[in-house]
């Protein structure tokens, strides 16, 4: 499938309208609100990415960069593919585009995601997707106060000198720092 990769750095209502359905379909509860996403982009701490096929958004992601200088890490906060295209390589294509963008723009040293740590088939499929794409699952299970399901951190190291901590707690320092800034008002 021939697709175009778009990165949106400032809130754009038209682009959001084109990707919103995929976002809400993939994350029906617990996802950041439109107001929080808008604030993240307008404050320069988050990005929206779209995979577009024949003028239609078929995949989307929300990302942010954390860390300083040579210690920059990309957080993929959300990655979603149109339900009709799941299992056809669109998610992997989108991940590769995001990785190339982040390495070119920020010289990141790794990518971190947090995956639900549940035992449902959906949870297992998501973890399998990330593992298949080179991410390392850590053992630490993190429980947020306001979210019912537990999470585990996963990391895709980039570059030869990056080690993924076995316990994952160190990765949640990056994730929590990103969330703290994302939820901060203006």
């Amino acid at each position: 499938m021939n697709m175009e990769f778009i990165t949106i750095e400032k809130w754009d209502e038209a682009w959001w309208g084109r990707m919103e359905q995929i976002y809400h379909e993939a994350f029906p509860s617990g996802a950041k609100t439109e107001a929080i996403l808008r604030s993240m982009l307008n404050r320069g701490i988050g990005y929206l990415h779209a995979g577009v096929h024949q003028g239609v958004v078929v995949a989307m992601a929300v990302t942010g960069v954390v860390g300083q200088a040579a210690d920059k890490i990309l957080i993929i906060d959300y990655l979603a593919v149109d339900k009709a295209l799941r299992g056809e390589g669109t998610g992997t294509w989108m991940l590769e585009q995001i990785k190339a963008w982040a390495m070119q723009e920020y010289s990141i040293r790794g990518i971190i995601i947090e995956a639900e740590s549940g035992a449902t088939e959906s949870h297992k499929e998501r973890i399998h997707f990330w593992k298949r794409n080179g991410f390392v699952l850590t053992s630490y299970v993190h429980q947020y106060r306001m979210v019912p399901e537990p999470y585990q951190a996963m990391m895709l190291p980039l570059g030869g000198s990056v080690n993924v901590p076995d316990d994952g707690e160190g990765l949640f320092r990056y994730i929590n720092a990103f969330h703290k800034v994302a939820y901060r008002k203006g």
Side-chain angles (χ1 to χ4, degrees):
M1 182 183 323
N2 189 16
M3 289 197 293
E4 180 182 10
F5 178 74
I6 306 289
T7 295
I8 299 129
E9 296 183 4
K10 291 290 180 192
W11 187 258
D12 185 303
E13 203 65 43
W15 273 108
W16 176 245
R18 294 174 67 189
M19 62 180 67
E20 182 178 17
Q21 181 178 345
I22 294 170
Y23 178 72
H24 289 298
E25 178 184 89
F27 307 103
S29 63
K32 288 178 175 64
T33 65
E34 180 181 321
I36 290 170
L37 295 174
R38 181 184 299 114
S39 175
M40 288 170 54
L41 267 67
N42 289 338
R43 291 185 291 134
I45 61 166
Y47 304 91
L48 290 175
H49 307 277
V52 181
H53 175 65
Q54 296 181 342
V56 177
V57 174
V58 296
M60 62 82 58
V62 178
T63 64
V65 177
V66 296
Q68 302 294 320
D71 191 34
K72 289 186 180 169
I73 300 286
L74 181 75
I75 304 284
I76 297 180
D77 207 16
Y78 301 96
L79 174 67
V81 173
D82 184 302
K83 190 170 21 177
L85 296 176
R86 291 181 191 157
E88 296 184 14
T90 304
T92 296
W93 178 87
M94 190 73 173
L95 178 59
E96 288 300 317
Q97 302 309 305
I98 292 168
K99 180 170 70 172
W101 166 82
M103 290 177 73
Q104 179 181 347
E105 296 294 321
Y106 294 99
S107 302
I108 60 166
R109 67 180 194 94
I111 301 173
I112 299 173
I113 62 103
E114 56 182 331
E116 295 95 339
S117 184
T120 69
E121 280 307 308
S122 175
H123 295 146
K124 290 176 186 176
E125 287 171 10
R126 286 181 182 150
I127 287 176
H128 178 71
F129 166 81
W130 294 109
K131 282 183 170 181
R132 192 174 67 243
N133 283 287
F135 283 74
V136 177
L137 180 66
T138 60
S139 62
Y140 173 71
V141 176
H142 187 79
Q143 182 66 59
Y144 291 105
R145 282 184 248 142
M146 305 298 282
V147 180
E149 65 271 351
Y151 286 84
Q152 284 178 274
M154 299 181 79
M155 182 175 186
L156 175 64
L158 302 171
S161 64
V162 178
N163 292 320
V164 179
D166 290 336
D167 65 3
E169 283 187 83
L171 299 181
F172 269 96
R173 282 194 284 278
Y174 286 104
I175 293 167
N176 288 330
F178 176 69
H179 285 260
K180 184 177 180 179
V181 173
Y183 283 100
R184 187 178 304 146
K185 298 208 186 249

